[in-house]
Amino acid sequence: MNRKDFVKMCGILGIGVPFQLSLNACSNDDAPNPEFNGRVVIIGAGAGGMSAGYLLSQLNIDFEILEASSINGGRMRIDTDFADFPIPLGAEWLETNVGVLGEIVNDSSVQVDIDTVSDAPDLKFVNSSWYSFFQEYILPSVSSKINYKTVVESIDYSGDQVIVRTASQEYTADKVVVAVPLRILQLGNINFTPQLPTDKLNAINSPTVWEGFKAFFEFSQDFYGDGHAFNISPETDGQKIYYNASLGQNTTKNILGLFTVGKPAQDLITKTGDELRDYILNELDGLFNNQATPSYIKHITQNWNDEPYIQGGYLTDHANWRTVRTLGEPVADKIYFAGGAYTDGEDWVSVHLAAKSAREAVTRLTN
């Protein structure tokens, strides 16, 4: 069963994608006493990296986060200037039930106050976002531990301790959590000594990471309704959909979103400026009786392939689950992995699954 079939089955059964790991593993409520009391270096301050740091902070374990860019959040990035509600340039939907937010916070004394609206089969945040959730509930526990503009070039785990190197500095740790996008590992941007095991390398290099592109257009009128979903064949090529980005938001603005990954994104990521704007408007004119161009006000775009420390969308929905499970497995009891691509193979990609993978990584490295 691939990811798409699994998520579809959960929708048919009326259940959310499960956040299955025991909450007691790292819960403040139980005040656990982990066997591990060393130092951890986390590489990447996206959902997986911040979640790992947050859980380590709950356990009072020393850690440091190395983030290559100048900001945190990875593909949860938002724009707060385009409209009167946050525009999610990356992760947008909550692909499970809202209770998962409390599970990520992992502290019953904290009341999670986030509104959502149904956008079947998923949920959408109301005047909020995944990024906003992490900024409010997760970042405060890890912000002082993040080193920005710190590009990791190599990880040497040949000795008793792990040495993480940038161009100008070394960081020593007992264990390391790698929480970078899979594409970064595929490109070989981080060198491992010794080389990672063959099964791990095969799992890293064999699956497809889809190209990723999003755009948001403001129009003077709502001519598009629920939008338009394209029938991409074969399904393994990717996805493309126009959708009502204003759905459920406290706004009077007419914002149409475009989400596309895989081959359908390739025509978009090669264009910029007026050419890109006109390409999308022409397509919308064809879909909606030439109503797009006369109603156009402004737009923004996000090409994830252009981001130097991300370089793509996300792992294809059609990856082999065994490959995904291998991606999530630790190496030599020293290198652990967290993020949407590094899960148990039952599901992958979504933000809550990145948090779940971080919980698994922390549980493993502390026991």
Side-chain angles (χ1 to χ4, degrees):
M1 179 180 292
N2 61 36
R3 177 181 185 268
K4 187 172 182 181
D5 292 337
F6 178 77
V7 174
K8 181 178 179 181
M9 182 59 66
C10 287
I12 291 172
L13 296 175
I15 60 176
V17 177
F19 194 96
Q20 293 178 325
L21 294 175
S22 169
L23 297 180
N24 294 334
C26 302
S27 173
N28 270 348
D29 299 336
D30 294 321
N33 185 23
E35 296 178 12
F36 174 79
N37 60 1
R39 186 169 187 275
V40 180
V41 167
I42 300 167
I43 304 171
M50 285 198 288
S51 295
Y54 176 80
L55 293 169
L56 289 171
S57 72
Q58 289 186 327
L59 296 171
N60 295 314
I61 291 175
D62 183 29
F63 71 94
E64 192 166 15
I65 300 178
L66 311 181
E67 168 55 44
S69 73
S70 59
I71 58 175
N72 65 72
R75 282 166 292 188
M76 295 187 292
R77 186 180 307 169
I78 62 173
D79 182 283
T80 57
D81 298 321
F82 183 76
D84 52 1
F85 61 93
I87 295 292
L89 299 174
E92 182 164 358
W93 289 273
L94 178 59
E95 298 179 47
T96 184
N97 61 70
V98 72
V100 78
L101 301 177
E103 294 176 359
I104 294 171
V105 171
N106 196 35
D107 186 341
S108 62
S109 69
V110 176
Q111 181 65 40
V112 178
D113 185 17
I114 298 286
D115 291 332
T116 60
V117 63
S118 176
D119 189 16
D122 305 317
L123 298 173
K124 285 190 68 175
F125 293 89
V126 175
N127 286 80
S128 185
S129 64
W130 270 117
Y131 179 80
S132 305
F133 166 76
F134 269 77
Q135 292 297 110
E136 181 173 356
Y137 295 99
I138 306 302
L139 182 63
S141 295
V142 303
S143 60
S144 65
K145 300 285 191 176
I146 303 177
N147 299 304
Y148 294 100
K149 297 183 179 180
T150 306
V151 182
V152 171
E153 295 183 346
S154 67
I155 300 173
D156 185 341
Y157 64 103
S158 61
D160 291 337
Q161 290 192 303
V162 185
I163 308 298
V164 178
R165 294 186 175 92
T166 69
S168 60
Q169 195 167 350
E170 287 188 359
Y171 299 84
T172 301
D174 296 289
K175 300 190 178 185
V176 169
V177 177
V178 176
V180 302
L182 177 59
R183 186 63 181 149
I184 298 303
L185 296 185
Q186 288 183 336
L187 292 170
N189 290 357
I190 299 176
N191 181 61
F192 290 84
T193 303
Q195 181 174 276
L196 293 174
T198 300
D199 63 338
K200 191 73 168 185
L201 287 174
N202 288 340
I204 288 170
N205 294 320
S206 62
T208 297
V209 173
W210 276 335
E211 295 84 355
F213 178 90
K214 290 185 79 174
F216 295 86
F217 278 62
E218 181 179 356
F219 295 102
S220 59
Q221 60 176 324
D222 176 1
F223 56 83
Y224 45 79
D226 292 332
H228 177 83
F230 292 81
N231 181 21
I232 305 301
S233 181
E235 290 184 344
T236 52
D237 278 357
Q239 302 170 18
K240 183 177 181 180
I241 184 172
Y242 286 106
Y243 61 97
N244 180 8
S246 298
L247 176 68
Q249 308 304 313
N250 301 321
T251 184
T252 59
K253 294 181 179 293
N254 303 305
I255 310 293
L256 181 68
L258 167 60
F259 165 86
T260 181
V261 291
K263 287 186 179 179
Q266 292 175 4
D267 288 337
L268 297 163
I269 63 177
T270 58
K271 298 176 174 62
T272 58
D274 292 348
E275 181 188 16
L276 176 58
R277 177 201 62 198
D278 293 343
Y279 180 91
I280 294 174
L281 286 174
N282 288 337
E283 183 171 66
L284 289 169
D285 282 336
L287 292 171
F288 298 105
N289 279 332
N290 295 312
Q291 297 181 82
T293 299
S295 303
Y296 169 78
I297 296 176
K298 62 181 180 178
H299 74 282
I300 55 172
T301 63
Q302 175 63 51
N303 177 1
W304 287 105
N305 285 63
D306 265 354
E307 297 293 330
Y309 307 116
I310 296 176
Q311 299 206 14
Y314 54 77
L315 177 64
T316 170
D317 288 350
H318 303 273
N320 183 289
W321 69 270
R322 292 181 179 85
T323 298
V324 179
R325 177 170 290 182
T326 302
L327 286 172
E329 290 292 322
V331 173
D333 236 4
K334 295 178 182 177
I335 311 296
Y336 299 80
F337 296 83
Y342 312 102
T343 72
D344 58 10
E346 292 191 5
D347 195 10
W348 53 93
V349 171
S350 304
V351 174
H352 75 280
L353 297 169
K356 172 184 173 180
S357 73
R359 183 182 299 277
E360 175 66 17
V362 169
T363 300
R364 283 172 158 172
L365 73 83
T366 55
N367 291 302

